[in-house]
Amino acid sequence: MNEVWNVGDVRITRVVEMEVTGGSRFILPDATREACLAYPWMQPHFMDAKGNLVMSIHALVLDTGERRIVVDTCIGNDKERAIPTWSHLQTSFLADMEAAGYPRETVDTVLCTHLHVDHVGWNTMLVDGEWVPTFPNARYLIGEHEFRYWESEDDETRRDSIIADSVRPVLDAGLVDFVATDHVVAPGIQLVPTPGHTPGHVSVRISSAGEEALITGDCIHHPCQMTRTDWCSSADYDQSEARRTREGLLADLSDSETLVIGTHFATPTAGHVRPRPEGGDWFDVG
């Protein structure tokens, strides 16, 4: 299920942890089967014949030739999580990364668009009962604003479980660099502030040899939100701000040649935002 795109001189590889159909109502409660069936453009890639949404959890490796940057690290193995299907996973994610040409020791940068559970899991791995950095030769880039929010999160159980097993070990190892929401990661690779899903949420813009791409993070969970920008995620920190961010981003992307790569978009994952005559946008993967 891995996919590869070339954006100028940057090679982008998707490494999939899981892709599922249905079960997305907990994250997009307005996206009922009946409501989704009104938008047949989502079939067959992003919705099945019954109106169930298809979503993916994957990492994206940006290879510039000089840098190997992993954007978001999925859920991870062995971790106890509140969502049963995400708890104590045993996947082949690291082997799949290696098969794609990226052994974990060769990664030099790990970038988290935000600190939700399905974006930081493979920051660490379980070795002899201890959580250790999965990518020992990488600098982990974490938004300073994002981290400070999580440090002050009122829900201590949720905060402590994620921070304790997926963030604190890389901090303790001295591998973390706190960055601003517009940080330049490498020449042609820059963070874009897209707040609302979390306070410090970022997307990632890639510009190379006259071509551009944007990795969404969770400011757009699913392509349906291009047509229905009012369908907000139940995990959004501020739904009004998340919608404003989404609409502003789509206004810039609509009818452009920027390749949009969705952090949770199912296969084929990448395409272009195109305006619909009846209003709103749709996701063209043709």
Side-chain angles (χ1 to χ4, degrees), residues 1 12 55 72 89 95 108 112 144 151 164 168 174 177 183 198 200 205 229 256 278:
M1 291 195 296
I12 304 174
M55 298 185 74
D72 288 333
L89 293 182
D108 58 69
C112 300
E144 184 166 12
E151 272 199 319
R168 185 64 61 186
D177 294 326
H183 178 71
T198 61
R205 186 174 299 279
T229 60
S256 78
E278 57 270 52

Side-chain angles (χ1 to χ4, degrees), residues 55-75:
M55 298 185 74
S56 174
I57 297 174
H58 51 253
L60 295 158
V61 183
L62 312 185
D63 187 341
T64 71
E66 297 180 349
R67 300 280 299 275
R68 292 183 164 191
I69 303 162
V70 176
V71 179
D72 288 333
T73 62
C74 306
I75 299 167

